Amino acid sequence: MNGDEKGFEVYSKGTHKSPILLDSGSDPIWVAIREEAKIEADKEPILSSFLYAGILAHECLEQALGFVLANRLQNPTLLATQLLDIFNGVMMHDQGIQSSIRHDIQAFKERDPACLSYSSAILHLKGYHALQAYRVSHKLWNEGRKLLALALQSRISEVFGIDIHPAAKIGEGILLDHGTGVVIGETAVIGNRVSILHGVTLGGTGKETGDRHPKIGEGAVLGACVTILGNISVGAGAMVAAGSLVLKDVPSHSVVAGNPAKLIRVIGEQDPSLAMKHDATEEFFRHVADGYRGAISNGPSVSSEDKEKGHTNCTK
């Protein structure tokens, strides 16, 4: 690869595809977005102005995305023109972000069956919008412009209902499916190719400072309403089933489920995030049923502290 080419590896639903090499005049994802917008404008003339303003009036993906984000996040004191300058100033000059926004949009298109096209992701999907706005805020944070980064975080949270601290470290090829209610703490780290559903919390456990948030390995999938607390690790290729509460490390390439989460089985898939299989499966429910029958046969549990106080686990 020479200095005039950029390589953007494209991730499909279940496999890795070979990198697409983009020279200075070729960007297949942007070409696809423009073609989609033209087709949609012909099919739905009432949206032609909207599609022109959001996509067709721009020369590249970075400019179009900056325009969309600026108009979504503006308010009376943080004007769209100011935000557009911020977004363009970062995205047009940061090759890492240029790569990430393409990996991410590919992830949305290939893994989310509700994502109809690349253009629908850039125009409509708030999970994609929040993720790319976070990337700009993260850049600002690392440049020492922390107040501006926090102002962007606040607007992202208000508009999209997704709260990502600008200091968090997030890889590329990320899917935030729906995104509503996602919270990612300051010292959280998320690897490449991770899929995250709505309601996921990567949080701390109290008032501790320092490195206090979860670390998510590459290719993991976090099901809806998963809560992971503390400076613990979810290994590469792990799957956390919907509704689970995770309080300790999760091995790589394993499935955990429950409250608190327990190991269910080991899986052979390298990146379950690409296949988007995040159900607990019949095996999990059989495990829960067996545990419930065991608890019933052994009678109600009483902690040693309760025994000393003469209390049972019943509430008044």
Side-chain angles (χ1 to χ4, degrees):
M1 187 185 303
N2 62 45
D4 295 329
E5 293 177 330
K6 300 176 185 176
F8 298 115
E9 186 174 357
V10 179
Y11 299 107
S12 70
K13 196 166 187 177
T15 61
H16 293 103
K17 290 183 179 178
S18 300
I20 293 178
L21 299 181
L22 307 178
D23 59 31
S24 57
S26 174
D27 181 347
I29 289 181
W30 176 238
V31 170
I33 290 171
R34 288 183 60 86
E35 289 303 313
E36 291 168 356
K38 291 175 183 177
I39 292 171
E40 292 302 322
D42 289 339
K43 289 168 56 179
E44 198 67 78
I46 196 171
L47 292 178
S48 58
S49 295
F50 169 71
L51 291 163
Y52 180 81
I55 293 176
L56 297 173
H58 306 285
E59 296 180 355
C60 62
L61 176 56
E62 289 75 17
Q63 290 179 357
L65 182 58
F67 177 86
V68 171
L69 293 178
N71 281 278
R72 292 296 305 273
L73 295 172
Q74 67 171 321
N75 69 9
T77 58
L78 201 55
L79 304 180
T81 52
Q82 296 171 317
L83 288 169
L84 185 58
D85 287 342
I86 294 167
F87 291 129
N88 284 346
V90 171
M91 291 191 293
M92 293 296 291
H93 300 97
D94 189 303
Q95 289 191 0
I97 290 180
Q98 291 169 9
S99 172
S100 294
I101 64 179
R102 288 167 173 81
H103 281 98
D104 293 342
I105 202 169
Q106 184 74 22
F108 276 77
K109 174 66 168 57
E110 297 296 339
R111 296 183 221 158
D112 182 1
C115 181
L116 302 177
S117 60
Y118 294 119
S119 60
S120 67
I122 191 176
L123 292 172
H124 304 300
L125 296 188
K126 67 177 183 178
Y128 183 74
H129 294 161
L131 186 57
Q132 307 323 314
Y134 146 78
R135 296 195 184 283
V136 173
S137 72
H138 181 68
K139 175 73 171 181
L140 296 172
W141 180 273
N142 289 337
E143 291 178 342
R145 304 173 72 183
K146 295 187 175 181
L147 190 60
L148 180 55
L150 291 171
L152 272 182
Q153 177 198 4
S154 176
R155 286 300 295 156
I156 294 166
S157 179
E158 290 174 19
V159 174
F160 303 129
I162 300 170
D163 194 351
I164 308 174
H165 194 283
K169 298 177 181 178
I170 301 178
E172 56 189 11
I174 305 298
L175 170 63
L176 288 185
D177 194 359
H178 299 288
T180 302
V182 167
V183 177
I184 300 174
E186 179 181 8
T187 60
V189 178
I190 300 173
N192 297 331
R193 304 184 304 281
V194 172
S195 294
I196 300 174
L197 278 82
H198 59 278
V200 168
T201 296
L202 304 182
T205 57
K207 294 184 178 180
E208 74 273 24
T209 58
D211 194 355
R212 61 195 185 278
H213 294 102
K215 312 297 181 281
I216 311 300
E218 293 191 355
V221 56
L222 308 181
C225 299
V226 161
T227 298
I228 307 175
L229 299 179
N231 184 13
I232 60 176
S233 297
V234 174
M239 188 187 90
V240 184
S244 298
L245 171 63
V246 182
L247 300 175
K248 59 183 181 180
D249 291 347
V250 175
S252 297
H253 305 292
S254 64
V255 178
V256 299
N259 184 353
K262 296 180 180 179
L263 179 64
I264 304 302
R265 61 186 172 93
V266 175
I267 54 178
E269 292 177 270
Q270 181 68 23
D271 291 332
S273 61
L274 303 183
M276 286 298 289
K277 296 177 181 178
H278 48 85
D279 59 317
T281 74
E282 180 183 348
E283 183 178 357
F284 166 65
F285 291 107
R286 187 164 56 247
H287 173 82
V288 171
D290 290 343
Y292 177 74
R293 283 193 292 269
I296 293 299
S297 63
N298 293 330
S301 62
V302 181
S303 69
S304 58
E305 183 179 353
D306 286 337
K307 288 179 179 178
E308 292 176 1
K309 296 179 180 179
H311 294 164
T312 71
N313 62 350
C314 298
T315 57
K316 295 181 178 180

